[in-house]
Amino acid sequence: MDEKDARKLIVEIGKLMYDKGYVTSSDGNISYRLGDNLILATPTQVSKGRMTEDVMALTDLEGKPLNDKRVSSEIQMHLLIYRMRPDVNAVCHAHVPHGTAFAAAGVAIDAPILSEVILTLGCVPLTAYGTPSTPELTDALKPYVEHHNALLMENHGVVAYGVDLWQAFDRLETLEHTAKIAILAKVFGGANDLPKDAIEKLINIREKAGYLTEAARCQACGYLEETGIGCEHSEKSKFQFPDSNGHGAKISLSREELIELLSQASKLS
Ligand SMILES: [Zn+2]
């Protein structure tokens, strides 16, 4: 997408975010990766519902301004995601009311209650509170950026990202919709979790269809662990053992093989 179209789409998505009540006042920000070291982003102190195409700021991946528009200091959250995820080209940050209610209550959106969410978004972890616009915030996000597509920021808001602007917005919308349903279900005693075999089928479908890659099995979801399909069950552990000449030789062991080996070793000693 060229810069002209990206500016137009950011204005459109900003209006959607404002009209849907995802942001108020000058909250939130949207950005798009135009090139290897070129980011187009919404400016500071502007309502996302009243933007025009000419207000956007340009920065490099370190946040250095590349035009005369001032970018929000929250851009560091976006830049961290771009640096860590080469597959991501768009980021939406908002203070969506239902999702932020989870974040303010210190609760992750990680229950397996909706099939569509398992298929297209996965779990949304809660990241520890960090003062907005400081390295505290980006440090708290760092451990989760790689395997998740959206994050809750404790006592602050949410961020969602994707391959393009629509995917980032759709993920933000899915997050908010899920949070709203989970809160409404509390009226009836709380949502029921999907059974383990149904979760496993959904994980297989999403990988075959390409909605999410196998890497999403590494997400911080209790149900992946309980179902036994989390990434630590499929990834090979790599250990170095010395060869007969005393030099290091790499071998691979599965988790089960390693447990077996350690239990045999403990019997010998
Ligand atoms: Zn914010």
Side-chain angles (χ1 to χ4, degrees):
M1 183 185 288
D2 67 17
E3 185 175 336
K4 193 166 165 276
D5 288 342
R7 285 174 181 265
K8 220 186 260 176
L9 196 48
I10 290 176
V11 169
E12 186 180 343
I13 288 177
K15 278 205 180 87
L16 268 175
M17 278 172 44
Y18 183 81
D19 290 347
K20 288 170 88 59
Y22 291 0
V23 287
T24 57
S25 184
S26 60
D27 292 350
N29 23 74
I30 308 164
S31 68
Y32 180 70
R33 194 201 302 258
L34 280 173
D36 288 347
N37 197 19
L38 184 61
I39 306 296
L40 182 67
T42 51
T44 187
Q45 297 300 312
V46 171
S47 164
K48 303 306 160 299
R50 300 194 296 270
M51 293 187 297
T52 49
E53 288 162 38
D54 58 325
V55 299
M56 308 298 163
L58 285 165
T59 78
D60 68 9
L61 271 185
E62 299 304 318
K64 192 178 128 210
L66 297 174
N67 68 357
D68 61 350
K69 304 290 190 291
R70 233 181 97 216
V71 74
S72 159
S73 51
E74 284 192 312
I75 191 70
Q76 289 303 333
M77 172 205 311
H78 299 234
L79 300 177
L80 171 81
I81 295 167
Y82 290 126
R83 289 195 297 265
M84 290 187 68
R85 290 280 299 270
D87 59 312
V88 164
N89 293 312
V91 178
C92 291
H93 162 56
H95 302 166
V96 290
H98 299 89
T100 305
F102 271 75
V107 181
I109 303 177
D110 61 356
I113 59 168
L114 295 168
S115 53
E116 278 300 312
V117 179
I118 295 176
L119 283 176
T120 60
L121 182 70
C123 287
V124 184
L126 176 76
T127 66
Y129 180 76
T131 307
S133 315
T134 71
E136 267 177 34
L137 181 92
T138 43
D139 285 350
L141 301 186
K142 241 181 231 169
Y144 299 96
V145 169
E146 189 182 350
H147 296 301
H148 299 83
N149 306 300
L151 310 170
L152 296 183
M153 292 175 279
E154 199 170 21
N155 296 93
H156 177 179
V158 311
V159 62
Y161 37 98
V163 70
D164 57 32
L165 280 160
W166 280 125
Q167 191 180 58
F169 175 77
D170 289 345
R171 285 174 167 169
L172 180 72
E173 194 176 34
T174 301
L175 179 165
E176 174 61 357
H177 199 60
T178 309
K180 189 174 178 180
I181 291 168
I183 291 168
L184 287 174
K186 291 266 181 204
V187 175
F188 306 104
N192 296 321
D193 286 352
L194 284 161
K196 285 179 185 174
D197 61 328
I199 294 170
E200 199 164 351
K201 280 182 199 162
L202 291 166
I203 302 282
N204 288 328
I205 291 170
R206 81 181 183 190
E207 287 172 7
K208 275 202 188 96
Y211 300 141
L212 292 178
T213 66
E214 210 179 316
R217 291 187 185 215
C218 297
Q219 290 187 344
C221 305
Y223 63 78
L224 287 172
E225 194 59 41
E226 286 158 22
T227 316
I229 51 174
C231 66
E232 71 279 16
H233 295 273
S234 53
E235 272 192 349
K236 295 264 185 182
S237 310
K238 289 195 175 91
F239 287 85
Q240 283 205 330
F241 286 80
D243 65 13
S244 55
N245 297 320
H247 301 305
K250 278 185 184 170
I251 65 159
S252 289
L253 292 174
S254 71
R255 191 171 183 267
E256 288 71 22
E257 287 163 345
L258 179 66
I259 290 167
E260 174 66 12
L261 188 70
L262 291 173
S263 74
Q264 281 183 16
S266 70
K267 279 177 205 153
L268 287 172
S269 61

